[in-house]
Amino acid sequence: MIIRTAQITDLPGIMAVYAQARKYMAENGNATQWGAAYPSEELVKEDIRLGQCYVGTDDKEKIHFVFALIIGEDPTYLRIEQGAWLNNSPYGTIHRLGSDGTRKGCFAECLTFCLNRIPNLRADTHRNNLTMQHLLEKYGFRRCGIIYVKDGSERLAYQREPGIPFS
């Protein structure tokens, strides 16, 4: 698997992956986290423009997964309830991770890529997203509390400190 910065020409493939991810989420008890249209094409275009959207492709350039890695302070993480962040060191946030469901190990590949850029990582997910919760915890993230996204809905907040080995 090759992970590279997404280009605007990748947009149709990226949106197809996100459509498949939304379908998987809905079929597995998490229909409300992304609803029918998140992430929007406009948001993905902005991630691409900012150089923070990445795709995982095979050797034929087929996109199998996509994510955003945003390095720096995330405004939605300024307030955390029912807990606290593990540290306040500079961090990166993994957002909008989606897979087409055809390959195993996409999360581990995404995580390895991100850890090579910044070893202190945060992420959040919906209470109903049991798949993501399992993956975060399997790979050394600890649940830190509750944060609220832009629309006011709650998310479970996770952090992975530097030096934690894969389990």
Side-chain angles (χ1 to χ4, degrees):
M1 192 66 74
I2 300 159
I3 298 178
R4 62 172 173 76
T5 306
Q7 304 299 312
I8 198 67
T9 54
D10 294 320
L11 192 59
I14 290 170
M15 297 312 292
V17 167
Y18 281 138
Q20 183 59 38
R22 285 190 300 271
K23 181 177 185 267
Y24 172 86
M25 290 164 66
E27 290 171 351
N28 287 276
N30 185 23
T32 59
Q33 181 175 352
W34 283 2
Y38 184 87
S40 69
E41 192 170 293
E42 292 73 29
L43 180 57
V44 175
K45 284 179 181 177
E46 182 68 2
D47 282 344
I48 292 170
R49 186 186 71 76
L50 294 171
Q52 61 193 24
C53 183
Y54 299 90
V55 293
T57 69
D58 60 23
D59 57 359
K60 294 179 176 62
E61 282 291 304
K62 174 164 177 31
I63 298 171
H64 291 283
F65 66 95
V66 60
F67 63 95
L69 173 63
I70 302 167
I71 297 176
E73 189 173 274
D74 186 321
T76 61
Y77 291 176
L78 293 175
R79 185 177 122 224
I80 186 167
E81 296 179 355
Q82 300 177 30
W85 295 113
L86 301 177
N87 66 57
N88 291 314
S89 299
Y91 63 92
T93 305
I94 301 171
H95 279 304
R96 297 181 279 288
L97 174 61
S99 164
D100 69 0
T102 64
R103 297 186 66 119
K104 299 253 184 238
C106 294
F107 183 85
E109 292 190 53
C110 167
L111 180 58
T112 299
F113 178 89
C114 294
L115 288 170
N116 285 328
R117 278 140 190 84
I118 188 161
N120 193 30
L121 292 171
R122 294 180 182 180
D124 64 81
T125 194
H126 194 278
R127 189 173 298 281
N128 293 338
N129 194 338
L130 301 180
T131 300
M132 184 56 69
Q133 290 173 53
H134 168 75
L135 289 169
L136 289 166
E137 291 168 11
K138 176 180 178 180
Y139 288 101
F141 284 79
R142 291 184 40 211
R143 191 180 296 187
C144 295
I146 305 290
I147 58 102
Y148 296 89
V149 294
K150 191 182 277 187
D151 72 2
S153 60
E154 77 169 30
R155 296 290 185 270
L156 304 176
Y158 289 83
Q159 186 170 8
R160 186 182 197 283
E161 290 186 291
I164 304 294
F166 280 14
S167 58

